[in-house]
Structures are given as structure tokens and as C-alpha cells.
Amino acid sequence: MEITRKIIAYIQKENISIKDLSRRTGVAEDVLSENAVRALNASEFLEVCNYLKKDPYDFWEDPDQKQE
């Protein structure tokens, strides 16, 4: 669920309309809201990244880099 939370935080920070994002990607609004009912699945995640014009790795944190 961590990546979903990062996406939601980015959407809020950039003032992106969840309604518009949902309509254009087909991802349910309740998955993109602050109180997400579940995590994004892989295809939803990629659709959202494509819509946001963001590299999927922008939302992923390498656990090996945390330890440095």
C-alpha cells in the first residue's frame, strides 16, 4: 500500500483532480482517495504513472539505499 500512498500524496500535492484522473485512467476514485480501500494493482499503477507523466520508479524507494 506504500506506493499507493505515495501516489495519493503526489496527486494531492499537485492539486490533480481525482475525478478527472479516474475518468481518464479507469482507476476507481475510491482507490485514489485519501482513504483508499485497497492498493493499486500493477496495471492501475502504470496507467496512473502514464497519466501523470511520471516514471514508476519515482514512487519506488530502493530499500538498499535506505541503509546507506
Side-chain angles (χ1 to χ4, degrees):
M1 191 85 149
E2 181 64 27
I3 287 178
T4 300
R5 296 274 177 235
K6 288 180 183 179
I7 294 261
I8 291 167
Y10 179 81
I11 291 167
Q12 291 174 337
K13 180 180 141 221
E14 298 297 320
N15 294 316
I16 295 168
S17 166
I18 292 174
K19 183 177 277 244
D20 188 49
L21 189 144
S22 175
R23 187 171 37 92
R24 293 182 183 260
T25 62
V27 178
E29 287 184 47
D30 61 355
V31 177
L32 298 168
S33 71
E34 230 177 310
N35 300 316
V37 295
R38 64 171 175 82
L40 291 164
N41 66 37
S43 62
E44 291 170 333
F45 173 64
L46 294 174
E47 283 290 333
V48 170
C49 287
N50 186 48
Y51 174 83
L52 298 173
K53 296 180 175 50
K54 296 290 286 177
D55 186 311
Y57 284 104
D58 291 343
F59 299 102
W60 182 74
E61 184 174 284
D62 186 350
D64 293 335
Q65 288 182 349
K66 279 178 100 173
Q67 296 173 353
E68 293 178 3

